[in-house]
């Protein structure tokens, strides 16, 4: 049986992206795998009045089960209403890094409102064909689709790509036209995980390539993956409490802020949330070794995550206050 996301109170990303491009901000796309992450995301976005994209990765589907995650997202719609005095906030349920047509279809049929088909490692024409097939299916149900051109360095689905293959601006127009995608993820030097640069590297993303891409597809919604900033205060807390994170370096928040003001309208953040939760859990374990009630360490982890995401919405993405944009 297929379920429409519209019956679950979810929205697709189309209108949100239009408003974000016009308003010069980006919609947060936060990954979730469990209840505490979901609660923190919803609480943060309700409190800052931000729209939000809830992302489910392949790893999340394996860890938590995609059906359960979908029901949790449905619950999140009701939860957001409950804690916002009935108004709620716009919530997108998105498949992150969809590996093939079948996975995208199963998420669409289950009630996801948006999917990514990640053909970035395929040759151009194969990427076009696969993406187009997903778009044709998704659009029948008014589900929005994100495609990708260019390859991010770093770890993705347990596979490590050694080098960035930057998106080639001269390819974007043809890709968008031939596939009919609703948004495009590009590679401009961001990467997945907590080790994006080596000490001594110039930790810059290629805003010049972004500008070139924007010139070719003006106003078209652009997505940045791998956009964690790896806050050094969190790395310090982790290391001071028994952790061993050496040389963890992320993307400067000033660069992400600049990108959000352009056609970048979706910014993916996962690793920073993992760091915030890990720092909080390690601190409890270190300071209170007799604690064994999961609520006593997952509670602080949830609070730390909420605080981090509120700050991201306000200071980095600029999405705070935009939940009810007309
Ligand atoms: O794209 C990567 C996201 O951070 C999801 O990571 O596949 O380990 O859940 P994951
Ligand atoms: P980070 O690892 O930088 O948080 O990126 C997450 C991401 O791109 C999810 O798709
Ligand atoms: Zn990603």
């Amino acid at each position: 049986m297929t379920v429409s996301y519209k019956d679950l109170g979810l929205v697709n990303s189309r209108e949100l992206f239009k408003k974000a491009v016009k308003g010069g901000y980006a919609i947060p796309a936060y990954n979730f795998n469990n209840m505490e992450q979901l609660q923190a995301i919803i609480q943060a976005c309700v409190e800052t009045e931000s729209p939000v994209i809830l992302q489910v990765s392949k790893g999340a589907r394996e860890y938590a089960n995609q059906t359960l995650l979908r029901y949790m997202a449905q619950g999140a719609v009701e939860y957001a209403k409950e804690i916002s005095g009935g108004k709620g906030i716009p919530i997108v349920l998105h498949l992150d890094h969809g590996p093939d047509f079948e996975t995208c279809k199963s998420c669409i049929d289950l009630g996801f409102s948006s999917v990514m088909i990640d053909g970035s490692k395929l040759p151009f024409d194969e990427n076009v064909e696969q993406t187009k097939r997903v778009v044709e299916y998704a659009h029948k149900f008014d589900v929005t689709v994100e495609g990708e051109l260019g390859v991010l360095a770093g770890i993705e689905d347990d596979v490590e790509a050694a080098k960035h293959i930057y998106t080639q601006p001269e390819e974007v127009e043809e890709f968008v036209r031939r596939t009919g995608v609703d948004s495009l993820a590009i590679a401009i030097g961001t990467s997945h995980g907590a080790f994006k640069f080596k000490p001594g590297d110039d930790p810059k993303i290629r805003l010049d390539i972004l500008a070139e891409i924007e010139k070719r597809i003006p106003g078209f919604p652009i997505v940045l993956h791998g956009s964690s900033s790896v806050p050094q205060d969190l790395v310090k807390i982790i290391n001071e409490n028994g952790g061993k994170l050496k040389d963890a370096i992320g993307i400067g928040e000033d660069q992400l802020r600049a990108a959000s003001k352009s056609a970048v309208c979706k910014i993916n953040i996962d690793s920073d949330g993992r760091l915030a939760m890990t720092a909080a859990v390690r601190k409890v374990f270190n300071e209170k070794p007799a604690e064994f009630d999961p609520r006593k360490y997952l509670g602080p982890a949830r609070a730390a995550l909420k605080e981090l995401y509120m700050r991201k919405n306000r200071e980095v993405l600029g999405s705070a206050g935009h939940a009810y944009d007309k």
Side-chain angles (χ1 to χ4, degrees):
M1 199 188 70
T2 32
V3 178
S4 168
Y5 68 86
K6 294 179 185 176
D7 295 332
L8 309 180
L10 297 162
V11 295
N12 70 18
S13 59
R14 196 169 294 122
E15 288 306 311
L16 297 186
F17 286 170
K18 260 194 219 155
K19 290 175 195 165
V21 172
K22 202 163 136 228
Y25 60 92
I27 315 282
Y30 297 137
N31 292 71
F32 80 105
N33 298 261
N34 65 26
M35 183 188 75
E36 283 76 10
Q37 288 175 315
L38 185 59
Q39 288 174 317
I41 295 167
I42 296 298
Q43 289 170 10
C45 292
V46 164
E47 251 175 74
T48 56
E49 300 201 334
S50 170
V52 68
I53 298 171
L54 296 173
Q55 300 206 128
V56 170
S57 69
K58 179 166 170 272
R61 289 167 52 244
E62 283 158 10
Y63 176 77
N65 179 282
Q66 75 176 19
T67 306
L68 184 56
L69 291 168
R70 194 280 272 175
Y71 277 97
M72 287 170 73
Q74 187 178 347
V77 171
E78 300 309 316
Y79 177 56
K81 279 190 206 150
E82 188 180 319
I83 61 172
S84 64
K87 287 190 302 219
I89 50 168
I91 300 177
V92 176
L93 178 60
H94 176 77
L95 169 67
D96 191 22
H97 294 284
D100 48 40
F101 174 81
E102 286 68 29
T103 309
C104 293
K105 180 181 181 301
S106 94
C107 287
I108 293 165
D109 294 350
L110 198 56
F112 280 53
S113 59
S114 174
V115 293
M116 174 187 191
I117 174 71
D118 184 352
S120 59
K121 294 190 184 71
L122 297 174
F124 183 82
D125 283 326
E126 284 176 45
N127 188 359
V128 167
E129 280 318 305
Q130 189 185 50
T131 306
K132 193 168 163 234
R133 189 171 171 220
V134 172
V135 170
E136 280 168 0
Y137 186 75
H139 282 183
K140 284 187 201 157
F141 305 95
D142 205 17
V143 167
T144 38
V145 180
E146 174 184 326
E148 179 163 1
L149 260 186
V151 181
L152 271 64
I155 301 162
E156 209 173 283
D157 287 336
D158 301 329
V159 180
E160 178 144 20
K163 273 203 351 230
H164 301 286
I165 303 176
Y166 295 120
T167 306
Q168 294 177 27
E170 53 279 14
E171 286 185 349
V172 295
E173 219 178 321
E174 184 183 342
F175 186 81
V176 164
R177 181 172 40 79
R178 282 176 59 190
T179 58
V181 275
D182 301 284
S183 60
L184 181 68
I186 58 168
I188 55 167
T190 63
S191 57
H192 294 108
F195 305 91
K196 301 186 193 297
F197 300 99
K198 301 218 162 36
D201 282 355
D202 183 14
K204 290 262 164 44
I205 55 172
R206 295 286 303 271
L207 293 171
D208 57 318
I209 299 180
L210 171 62
E212 190 54 42
I213 289 170
E214 277 194 69
K215 254 194 242 159
R216 311 234 175 188
I217 43 172
F220 190 81
I222 302 292
V223 176
L224 288 188
H225 281 249
S227 297
S228 278
S229 295
V230 189
Q232 293 302 303
D233 54 334
L234 296 178
V235 174
K236 190 161 176 272
I237 297 172
I238 291 173
N239 288 339
E240 281 171 358
N241 289 277
K244 274 204 179 97
L245 288 182
K246 199 170 164 322
D247 301 333
I249 304 172
I251 312 289
E253 290 189 336
D254 52 330
Q255 292 174 65
L256 294 169
R257 185 72 203 100
S260 309
K261 289 184 178 155
S262 70
V264 170
C265 60
K266 171 174 179 269
I267 291 194
N268 290 12
I269 297 173
D270 187 5
S271 297
D272 281 356
R274 297 177 182 192
L275 292 169
M277 292 187 91
T278 302
V281 170
R282 278 201 175 275
K283 205 159 180 290
V284 174
F285 283 167
N286 194 24
E287 289 171 2
K288 299 178 189 163
E291 196 55 75
F292 68 97
D293 178 344
R295 293 171 297 188
K296 298 287 165 49
Y297 48 88
L298 293 177
R302 180 176 63 192
L305 190 58
K306 175 185 174 188
E307 192 189 321
L308 174 87
Y309 285 160
M310 286 180 65
R311 197 181 62 71
K312 294 273 183 195
N313 292 353
R314 288 189 174 125
E315 295 172 18
V316 186
L317 292 97
S319 63
H322 288 290
Y324 311 110
D325 281 3
K326 287 280 172 268

